[in-house]
Amino acid sequence: MRKVTRFFWFCSGAHIDTLKKYPIEHNKYVGIGATIFFTALFASLSGGYAMYFVFSGNAFAVGFAILFGLLWGTAIFNMDRYIVSSINKEGTINQQIIQASPRILLAIMIGIVISRPLELKIFDKEIRQKLKTAYLKGQHSKIDTLQKTYNDKYAMELAKTAELKKEKDSLEKDINRSRIQLNQEVFGSKTDQTSGIVGYGDYAKQKQAVLEGKEARLQTVTEGSEKIDDYLSQRKNFEGVNDVKLLNQHQLDSLAAVAGFADRNWALGQLTYNENGTRDLDTYMAISFIGYLFILFECLPVFVKLMSPKGPYDVAVGMLTDANLHYAERDKERDITVTDSLYDHQLEADLERRRQIITGQSEHDLGKYRYD
């Protein structure tokens, strides 16, 4: 337990030698250190999963995930430790809050970052279903776009083939009626359209000629329709209309499984909306509360430090800080004094050397130019 306690003290960023002197403060800093440690642990899991997801399918995905998770957790741990240890209890509550505000904002950002990958994992099934629905809608939209482009491009040919098919249907009905009337004329059935005379007479020959004319026209229309249909079928293949098919369930599952981070993040956001565009409060609250939980967990060490009363450890750290500052000032004064003394000594030595040079030069000149 002693080693665990010291480890959590280290995590809290406390000055351990000073903290040892005040047992009443031990539990508080164990709690702060444990919060920082578990925040870093969750950050490692989140970062590791995010990296595993990025490299999923790669043989080294697990190795990359472990390495990045450790690096990311260490970075978050170091940042949290600095944030908490840099908050001192000097000054009023308002001054402490102002001092901690940038650190709280940073903690909120860290909480959002580490919560997102875990949210993606928690709602993995719902995200996959949303992605499959989106992919299927996208495929429908692609098919509709291709079909519309094809219809606009070959509108004249499509109109012509529709006209021929309509005429073909009409001719087939007329031919069936004409055959019935011809049979009635030959067998002497009396109707509004027949003479009632048995045999293949003039009326029968006329109806036969009309029938043959319609059949000849039907043959021409059929051949023309088939030619246009063959041409349009070739153009469909060329335009790629026939190549685009609706995705089956297996293809949708495969696409959802290899979806990237951006698609999954988009799908997670879409889970909070219903089909009609209204907000799905249940899903929205579930996703939001997970994010809020991590944000609160990340901000908790800062809040604990702010809410805790000023204790003997804080006073001791403040006094130790003042003592170190005073020592630094005195150390500065000593260095200045030593520097000044050395400079004065060098100045005096330099002056003395110059006096000797000038005196020697004067004596030399005086002996050389003596006029007695």
Side-chain angles (χ1 to χ4, degrees):
M1 289 299 296
R2 185 175 300 175
K3 291 182 179 180
V4 174
T5 300
R6 289 181 63 86
F7 174 72
F8 285 141
W9 285 352
F10 167 76
C11 294
S12 69
H15 190 269
I16 296 178
D17 291 337
T18 304
L19 184 60
K20 286 180 179 178
K21 301 176 183 177
Y22 307 100
I24 196 172
E25 298 278 64
H26 290 181
N27 289 336
K28 179 173 76 173
Y29 283 90
V30 167
I32 294 175
T35 305
I36 293 174
F37 171 75
F38 285 110
T39 301
L41 180 61
F42 281 122
S44 295
L45 296 175
S46 176
Y49 170 71
M51 186 58 61
Y52 177 78
F53 177 76
V54 170
F55 288 96
S56 59
N58 191 297
F60 301 99
V62 176
F64 286 140
I66 295 175
L67 179 61
F68 182 79
L70 292 174
L71 291 176
W72 180 246
T74 303
I76 298 300
F77 171 78
N78 182 66
M79 194 174 300
D80 284 346
R81 187 171 180 269
Y82 166 73
I83 289 173
V84 174
S85 63
S86 63
I87 298 176
N88 59 60
K89 303 299 290 183
E90 300 296 330
T92 63
I93 296 297
N94 292 334
Q95 289 175 341
Q96 294 179 33
I97 292 175
I98 293 174
Q99 179 192 20
S101 295
R103 295 163 176 80
I104 293 174
L105 293 176
L106 182 59
I108 292 173
M109 293 179 63
I110 294 173
I112 294 173
V113 170
I114 67 175
S115 67
R116 200 59 173 180
L118 294 180
E119 290 172 358
L120 293 175
K121 183 59 179 177
I122 292 171
F123 293 94
D124 181 66
K125 293 183 179 179
E126 292 80 3
I127 288 172
R128 286 174 183 263
Q129 188 61 40
K130 178 63 71 173
L131 286 173
K132 288 191 286 187
T133 303
Y135 291 150
L136 194 58
K137 286 183 179 179
Q139 194 73 356
H140 274 294
S141 178
K142 185 177 180 179
I143 292 173
D144 293 341
T145 301
L146 284 174
Q147 189 64 48
K148 184 178 183 303
T149 303
Y150 170 80
N151 292 339
D152 293 342
K153 191 172 183 179
Y154 301 101
M156 294 180 59
E157 290 81 356
L158 290 170
K160 182 63 176 178
T161 190
E163 182 182 343
L164 291 175
K165 288 179 180 179
K166 184 178 180 182
E167 184 179 357
K168 179 183 177 183
D169 293 339
S170 179
L171 284 171
E172 288 175 347
K173 293 178 181 178
D174 287 345
I175 288 172
N176 289 332
R177 286 196 299 267
S178 296
R179 284 175 178 168
I180 293 172
Q181 291 175 7
L182 177 60
N183 290 333
Q184 289 175 343
E185 184 65 39
V186 172
F187 291 107
S189 299
K190 179 63 176 176
T191 64
D192 294 339
Q193 303 293 329
T194 59
S195 63
I197 301 173
V198 179
Y200 192 74
D202 293 336
Y203 289 108
K205 292 179 181 178
Q206 290 177 2
K207 293 185 181 299
Q208 179 69 33
V210 170
L211 177 60
E212 291 175 353
K214 290 180 179 179
E215 288 177 342
R217 177 59 184 169
L218 177 61
Q219 181 67 25
T220 302
V221 170
T222 302
E223 291 176 355
S225 178
E226 289 176 352
K227 289 181 180 179
I228 296 178
D229 287 342
D230 290 341
Y231 172 75
L232 290 176
S233 179
Q234 293 175 2
R235 302 317 297 173
K236 270 190 174 182
N237 291 330
F238 178 78
E239 299 291 343
V241 177
N242 294 333
D243 297 334
V244 182
K245 307 292 183 182
L246 285 178
L247 300 171
N248 57 40
Q249 190 63 37
H250 177 70
Q251 291 172 325
L252 289 173
D253 291 338
S254 298
L255 288 174
V258 299
F261 180 82
D263 286 348
R264 294 175 66 83
N265 189 56
W266 170 85
L268 181 61
Q270 292 300 309
L271 286 177
T272 60
Y273 293 94
N274 295 313
E275 292 293 334
N276 57 5
T278 58
R279 177 75 75 177
D280 185 353
L281 290 179
D282 293 335
T283 307
Y284 174 75
M285 295 298 289
I287 296 174
S288 298
F289 276 124
I290 293 174
Y292 296 152
L293 177 64
F294 278 95
I295 291 173
L296 177 62
F297 200 71
E298 180 66 28
C299 296
L300 193 60
V302 180
F303 291 152
V304 170
K305 190 69 178 288
L306 288 175
M307 290 185 299
S308 60
K310 186 176 181 179
Y313 169 78
D314 299 307
V315 176
V317 169
M319 296 174 61
L320 184 61
T321 301
D322 293 338
N324 288 334
L325 288 174
H326 179 70
Y327 181 82
E329 289 292 336
R330 296 293 296 172
D331 199 34
K332 174 186 173 183
E333 294 175 359
R334 182 198 66 187
D335 291 340
I336 291 174
T337 301
V338 170
T339 301
D340 290 341
S341 299
L342 289 174
Y343 184 82
D344 292 340
H345 178 73
Q346 291 174 355
L347 180 62
E348 292 177 359
D350 189 53
L351 290 174
E352 182 63 27
R353 187 171 60 255
R354 289 176 180 270
R355 289 193 188 99
Q356 293 175 0
I357 292 172
I358 294 173
T359 302
Q361 184 66 36
S362 299
E363 292 176 352
H364 174 74
D365 292 341
L366 184 61
K368 184 177 181 180
Y369 300 103
R370 182 175 299 175
Y371 300 99
D372 353 270

